[in-house]
Every structure is written in C-alpha cells, then in structure tokens.
Amino acid sequence: MINRRPPVVEDAILLVGDYRWRKGPRLKALFAWMFGRREVFRTHLGDTAEIAWWRGEPYLIGLEEWHP
C-alpha cells in the first residue's frame, strides 16, 4: 500500500499521536494499543513510526530510530 500523504501531514500525526499517548486518558491509550487500527510509516528522518487509531484519534505506540 502506497501512502500518498505529504510528509508534513505524517509529522503532524506523529506529534498529535505522541501527545495523546503521553497526556491523554490512559484508558483510551490502552484501548488504542489493544484494539486500534494500526498504521506504520516512515518519517522524513527515516524513523519508523507505528500509530494506532482509536475512534478517529491517533496514538503513537512505537517509534524506531533509523541508524545508517
């Protein structure tokens, strides 16, 4: 599957997902981790981000740094 979003949109999703995971309600974050629809993409820096979508809200559940 080809992701057609511009990199700036993916970076925004990454920031919002990180904020929701850290500052949002813990129960919603747990539901996102357990039952959320998963999406994996590469950031503009080459890192691999895993986002779980729960009821239309993104939660960052994994981020692996790229090492050349």
Side-chain angles (χ1 to χ4, degrees):
M1 183 166 103
I2 298 173
N3 189 354
R4 299 187 187 278
R5 275 187 267 184
V8 69
V9 173
E10 289 178 346
D11 291 345
I13 291 171
L14 185 67
L15 288 172
V16 171
D18 183 48
Y19 179 79
R20 293 216 172 141
W21 181 260
R22 293 174 189 256
K23 303 292 184 184
R26 295 285 181 211
L27 189 58
K28 283 187 177 183
L30 179 64
F31 286 160
W33 182 75
M34 291 173 54
F35 307 115
R37 179 180 52 89
R38 302 292 172 104
E39 179 180 353
V40 177
F41 60 85
R42 288 210 182 268
T43 67
H44 71 282
L45 297 174
D47 301 339
T48 303
E50 185 174 0
I51 300 288
W53 292 87
W54 179 251
R55 296 190 175 177
E57 298 178 352
Y59 291 84
L60 175 65
I61 58 173
L63 183 64
E64 290 185 22
E65 292 183 14
W66 179 70
H67 299 286

